[in-house]
Amino acid sequence: MMLDEFNSLIGLSAKATNANDTPFMAQLFYSTKTLFYELGLPSEVVETMLEQQYRLQQASYREQYPNANTYILFYHQQAVGKVMLDISEYRIHLVDFIIIPSMRGRGLGSAVLTFIKQEAAIRNLSVGLSVERENTRAKKLYLQQGFKPESYSGAYESMLWR
């Protein structure tokens, strides 16, 4: 819905996801859970744990954000990430946002967030998100993009851009 027309000057584009994108999206999720690989467990156990965590996350997202749209992000036609947005009449909620590890730190995340904020400004909406408190790299990006901490809940910090 929103990112379908996204096409930035730096070679970024987006498309709505479909069932064929599930393996890529699962791999993106796994790339954020490096701690599991550091536990010293057999790889089959780690893979099973990650698969279960991914399925639980997706079920939770479907329940909490039934109207959210998920997009695969491309950089010069190469899949490099995903963004999941829940748009209401009150705000845009950034449900999930992942860039593959090899493409982080290149300005892609900033470009996507800038686009989302521009769309929010046009619609007179704020942009909210929740980030793991330990995810200092993501929090730094959000702070640089003008997001302000709003509240804390367990391992997560809610942030808002107006």
Side-chain angles (χ1 to χ4, degrees):
M1 171 191 194
M2 186 171 108
L3 285 180
D4 293 330
E5 69 272 3
F6 176 59
N7 196 350
S8 126
L9 295 175
I10 63 167
L12 271 172
S13 60
K15 77 162 185 73
T17 58
N18 60 49
N20 296 333
D21 296 316
T22 301
F24 174 73
M25 293 196 315
Q27 287 303 314
L28 276 175
F29 174 82
Y30 302 161
S31 77
T32 67
K33 305 296 178 193
T34 55
L35 174 68
F36 282 87
Y37 297 102
E38 298 165 7
L39 295 174
L41 298 169
S43 60
E44 312 81 52
V45 173
V46 172
E47 289 168 17
T48 299
M49 290 170 61
L50 286 172
E51 195 175 297
Q52 290 171 342
Q53 290 289 309
Y54 177 71
R55 283 200 310 267
L56 286 169
Q57 181 198 60
Q58 297 309 298
S60 174
Y61 286 167
R62 280 191 302 276
E63 183 179 316
Q64 292 180 64
Y65 309 102
N67 300 316
N69 294 304
T70 305
Y71 303 89
I72 299 289
L73 301 170
F74 294 89
Y75 180 64
H76 297 292
Q77 286 79 48
Q78 175 195 349
V80 295
K82 84 166 194 173
V83 63
M84 184 178 192
L85 300 169
D86 185 55
I87 303 170
S88 73
E89 60 187 286
Y90 306 107
R91 77 178 195 167
I92 296 172
H93 185 73
L94 183 62
V95 178
D96 201 8
F97 182 35
I98 306 171
I99 302 289
I100 60 173
S102 64
M103 295 300 286
R104 293 178 189 156
R106 299 182 185 205
L108 302 180
S110 292
V112 172
L113 290 171
T114 297
F115 179 83
I116 292 168
K117 292 185 322 185
Q118 288 170 344
E119 282 293 311
I122 290 167
R123 298 170 188 222
N124 198 28
L125 299 173
S126 59
V127 181
L129 60 86
S130 184
V131 61
E132 289 180 351
R133 291 169 84 170
E134 302 295 317
N135 192 344
T136 54
R137 189 170 185 164
K139 282 178 26 179
K140 181 180 176 189
L141 171 65
Y142 298 138
L143 290 169
Q144 288 171 341
Q145 286 286 317
F147 286 82
K148 306 280 186 239
E150 287 281 302
S151 63
Y152 302 92
S153 176
Y156 293 90
E157 181 174 335
S158 292
M159 301 180 91
L160 191 66
W161 176 87
R162 285 193 174 91

